[in-house]
Amino acid sequence: MNDILELLEARREQHLREVVELVAIPSVSAKPERAGEIRRCAEHVASLLRSAGISRVELFPTPGNPIVYAERLGAAGPTVLVYGHYDVQPEDPVELWETPPFQATVRDGDLYGRGAVDDKGQMFIHIAVARAFLERRGKLPVNLKFLLEGEEEVGSPNLEPFVAAHKELLKADVVVVSDTGMLQKGMPSICHGLRGLAYFELVVDGPGNDLHSGSFGGAIPNPANVLCQMIASLKDSAGRVTIPGFYDDVVPLRPEERAALAALPFQEEEFRATTGSPALAGEEGFTTLERIWARPTLDVNGLWGGYQGEGAKTVLPARAGAKFSTRLVANQDPGKISRLVEKHLRSIAPPGVSLEFRQLSGGKPFLCPFDHPYIQAAKRALEEGFGRPAVFIREGGSIPFVATISELLGVPCVLLGFGLPDEHSHAPNERLHLENFYGGIRSIARYYDALAGI
Ligand code: BES
Ligand code: MN
Ligand code: MN
C-alpha cells in the first residue's frame, strides 16, 4: 500500500492543479446557454480517465447532457461502480464571490470555486486513485466502473432510463459515491441515508387581468392572498405537514437509532451559527439531526405575484405562484407524494380561482443498514486515511441516482464524502478543505485495496 500512498502524496500539487482545471469549465446544468461547456467538461473528464489508463471510456448521449461511462475490468477483486457528477450549480449571485467562481483559488487551506466540493473535487479523488494504482502497479485491486453524470443538479431527469437500459453494463458488487459531507472537521463520516425530493410549482389564477385594488379589492378572491393562505396551511404550528397521508409511509426512527444520533458529537450551536439564522425551528418532538436526516419536510423555494418594483402600486394581481418542495425519507415515494399534494391543494382551493400544478423534479430517498462487510471496510479505510475514528451519519440532501441504483442492483451503496457543513455548496464562495481532499484520496486508495481482500 505504501507504494501507492507515497505516489499520491508526491502528486499533491498536481492533483490540486487538475481540480482547478476542472473547476475552470463552467458546466452549469441549469443554464441552457452553458450546453457547450457541459459538453467540454464531459470530454475533459473522459480524457482524464483515458490518461489515467482506464481502458474503456465512452460518452453516452442522453436527451439532456452526456453521461461519462468508463471501466477497467480484469481484476480478481469485486466490481466497484463509482458515481459522481461533473455538472455544477449556477454561480449566481456572482457579485458575492470573493474570487471568481470558475477561477479556483487557494486561501487558508481551502480551495474556493464552484464545484470544488460539489462534486468536481470529490469525483476527481477516484480518478486520481485509479491512476496511481495503474501507474505504480499496472493494475487495479478491484474492477472499476465509473458513471459520471451531467444533470445531477437538475434532478437527474435522464438517468433512470439510462440505468434501466444498461443494467448489465452497470452491474457491480458495491456502489461508491463521494458527494456528501463529514459531520465536522476531523470526523470522517460514512453516510447511510439520504432524503428524497419532490419539487412542485403551483400557480393560482384569478381575474382575467390585473385590477385596480380600490375598485375591486375585497370583492373578488385575490390570487396572491389565496396562494399565501394555501401554502401557509400546508404546515401547522407544530411544524408538521398537514397534507393527508403525507406521513403514511415514513419509516419511524427506532429507539436505538435515536440513541445513536443523540450520541454523535453534533454541535447544535455551531450548526445554527453556520446558517446565520437567529434560531432553529422544526417539527416538534424531534432533535435537529432527526429533523434533517430522518423526517420529511416541506419548504417554499420561491414566491411571485403582483407588484415587485419600487414604491407602492395598488393592484390585484391576476396570477400568483410558488415553487415549493418536500424532502422525503424512506419509504416515501415522490410520485405518490405528488398525487397527495395535488389532491389536497385542489380540495382546499376556494371557489373563484383555478390552479395549475406540476411536479418539476423528484428523487427517491435512500436508507441502508451499515453492517455489510463492504461498509465496515469503508469505516476502517477512512480511519486509516484520516487517522481519526469514523462515524455513521445520514444527510438531508438528495442524490437521486443512489436510490435508483440500489433498488436495481440490490448491493450496498457506500457514501464516502469529504465535504464540510460550512463549505457553501450551491452558494457563493463554495470551497473544499484541502486536508479533507488529501485525506479523501488516501482513504479511497486504502478502500479499493481493502475491497480486493474481502
Ligand atoms: N451533493 C448534493 C447532495 C447533498 C446535499 C449531499 C447536502 C449532502 C448534503 C447534490 O449535488 C445535490 O445538491 N442534490 C440535489 C438534488 C436535487 C437537485 C434532485 C439536492 O439535494 O437538492
Ligand atoms: Mn453533489
Ligand atoms: Mn449539489
Side-chain angles (χ1 to χ4, degrees):
M1 193 71 240
N2 280 341
D3 54 337
I4 304 300
L5 294 173
E6 273 163 24
L7 178 59
L8 288 168
E9 204 57 30
R11 291 277 164 82
R12 272 182 177 238
E13 288 303 312
Q14 183 188 335
H15 291 154
L16 185 59
R17 274 199 309 277
E18 288 172 314
V19 176
V20 171
E21 279 170 26
L22 268 174
V23 170
I25 308 172
S27 48
V28 179
S29 47
K31 296 189 176 174
E33 69 268 25
R34 301 285 206 189
E37 305 289 357
I38 282 277
R39 173 93 212 167
R40 194 154 74 84
C41 194
E43 271 158 14
H44 184 85
V45 170
S47 73
L48 269 176
L49 286 158
R50 269 187 215 108
S51 63
I54 306 288
S55 38
R56 174 176 177 193
V57 182
E58 266 181 67
L59 253 57
F60 281 91
T62 75
N65 300 337
I67 286 172
V68 182
Y69 175 81
E71 64 178 35
R72 167 119 181 181
L73 309 179
T79 301
V80 179
L81 173 64
V82 176
Y83 166 84
H85 61 95
Y86 66 83
D87 65 321
V88 297
Q89 285 277 323
E91 66 276 29
D92 317 71
V94 69
E95 64 280 6
L96 295 184
W97 285 78
E98 282 172 35
T99 47
F102 301 111
Q103 214 173 292
T105 315
V106 178
R107 278 201 304 283
D108 298 333
D110 291 324
L111 181 71
Y112 286 80
R114 172 58 84 229
V117 61
D118 188 9
D119 178 42
K120 287 174 170 174
Q122 298 211 57
M123 172 186 83
F124 176 79
I125 289 174
H126 295 267
I127 303 178
V129 167
R131 179 172 62 190
F133 274 108
L134 288 168
E135 203 175 312
R136 210 20 73 96
R137 297 187 185 168
K139 59 180 191 199
L140 295 172
V142 291
N143 297 297
L144 262 193
K145 297 181 172 181
F146 286 87
L147 190 162
L148 309 174
E149 71 154 315
E151 296 188 307
E152 197 275 344
E153 297 294 9
V154 290
S156 305
N158 296 296
L159 197 62
E160 241 185 78
F162 178 84
V163 170
H166 297 89
K167 287 184 188 164
E168 262 318 297
L169 187 75
L170 301 177
K171 227 169 141 199
D173 301 298
V174 55
V175 177
V176 180
V177 181
S178 295
D179 190 26
T180 51
M182 301 171 24
L183 186 65
Q184 59 189 56
K185 216 174 247 185
M187 203 165 286
S189 310
I190 302 179
C191 173
H192 71 107
L194 294 165
R195 286 200 288 190
L197 179 77
Y199 194 116
F200 310 107
E201 181 163 47
L202 172 68
V203 178
V204 177
D205 234 304
N209 46 270
D210 288 3
L211 296 169
H212 192 293
S213 70
S215 311
F216 301 98
I220 59 148
N222 175 335
N225 290 33
V226 170
L227 177 79
C228 291
Q229 266 162 355
M230 288 176 67
I231 294 280
S233 77
L234 297 181
K235 265 185 159 179
D236 67 17
S237 59
R240 276 180 69 87
V241 175
T242 57
I243 298 160
F246 183 77
Y247 291 96
D248 282 1
D249 300 324
V250 170
V251 174
L253 276 160
R254 286 179 280 113
E256 60 271 27
E257 287 175 310
R258 300 193 85 168
L261 293 197
L264 286 172
F266 175 66
Q267 308 289 332
E268 186 146 304
E269 171 48 26
E270 213 170 280
F271 174 82
R272 186 207 60 76
T274 350
T275 67
S277 168
L280 297 174
E283 187 183 1
E284 265 174 29
F286 294 93
T287 66
T288 297
L289 277 187
E290 290 171 347
R291 287 170 180 167
I292 54 177
W293 289 356
R295 298 295 298 170
T297 191
L298 182 150
D299 275 291
V300 174
N301 304 108
L303 278 174
W304 57 268
Y307 182 62
Q308 315 274 323
E310 235 174 87
K313 183 184 187 213
T314 47
V315 68
L316 304 180
R319 285 154 67 79
K323 298 199 189 232
F324 67 101
S325 57
T326 53
R327 290 282 171 176
L328 308 175
V329 299
N331 286 325
Q332 288 175 297
D333 176 69
K336 180 172 172 193
I337 292 297
S338 176
R339 289 189 289 278
L340 290 176
V341 172
E342 177 166 12
K343 186 169 167 222
H344 178 65
L345 288 172
R346 295 205 183 279
S347 80
I348 63 171
V353 297
S354 60
L355 302 186
E356 284 166 32
F357 175 86
R358 55 185 162 268
Q359 183 179 347
L360 298 184
S361 65
K364 287 184 184 168
F366 166 75
L367 186 62
C368 114
F370 45 82
D371 49 8
H372 195 283
Y374 288 160
I375 299 184
Q376 291 301 322
K379 185 167 189 282
R380 290 190 296 275
L382 279 181
E383 291 178 342
E384 289 162 4
F386 281 84
R388 304 287 296 262
V391 291
F392 285 100
I393 63 165
R394 303 193 200 181
E395 290 276 16
S398 311
I399 308 175
F401 175 76
V402 175
T404 304
I405 197 74
S406 84
E407 270 177 27
L408 179 80
L409 299 179
V411 300
C413 276
V414 192
L415 305 171
L416 299 174
F418 306 104
L420 288 175
D422 63 351
E423 289 186 327
H424 310 142
S425 66
H426 294 201
N429 304 307
E430 176 179 348
R431 60 186 173 182
L432 169 63
H433 191 49
L434 289 174
E435 272 317 305
N436 293 339
F437 175 58
Y438 299 124
I441 291 179
R442 289 192 298 272
S443 306
I444 294 297
R446 287 180 182 275
Y447 187 40
Y448 289 167
D449 196 56
L451 281 175
I454 300 176

